[in-house]
Amino acid sequence: MLAERWQCSAETVRMMVKRGELRGFRVGRMIRIPLAAVEEHECQTSASDACEADSASTGTTRRPENGDVISLRHAPERKPKRKAGTDT
């Protein structure tokens, strides 16, 4: 949901969490990102002085079962494909 909101790839969001640029936590294979952390990051990167009022829940659906958290599923690691005829 966050990658769609920011019009970037889910991998970009995962790397931001890994580098500590965006606050998030793991629950099993999922990364959960609090809505407050999303809005904080948007305000840091926004040129607007009134960004908190402008960014509140834009494009985000709040679901009671998730609370104010955005979920990001873990992408399975991709193994490199072997070329035919190699013994590696």
Side-chain angles (χ1 to χ4, degrees):
M1 286 173 41
L2 184 55
E4 187 177 307
R5 174 177 172 154
W6 287 351
Q7 297 177 348
C8 65
S9 71
E11 185 61 23
T12 299
V13 176
R14 284 186 203 94
M15 293 307 296
M16 290 175 73
V17 172
K18 185 176 182 178
R19 289 189 303 255
E21 296 172 19
L22 180 63
R23 194 166 30 98
F25 57 94
R26 284 199 176 273
V27 176
R29 294 182 60 126
M30 307 231 0
I31 297 174
R32 305 285 237 175
I33 303 165
L35 187 56
V38 172
E39 291 175 347
E40 278 174 24
H41 185 79
E42 288 173 345
C43 284
Q44 290 174 356
T45 58
S46 174
S48 173
D49 291 333
C51 64
E52 286 184 23
D54 294 341
S55 69
S57 71
T58 303
T60 302
T61 304
R62 295 182 188 200
R63 297 181 184 153
E65 68 274 10
N66 292 339
D68 289 340
V69 177
I70 294 176
S71 300
L72 183 63
R73 280 179 267 140
H74 176 72
E77 291 184 32
R78 295 183 184 189
K79 296 182 180 178
K81 293 181 181 179
R82 287 193 218 170
K83 293 183 181 180
T86 60
D87 293 333
T88 357

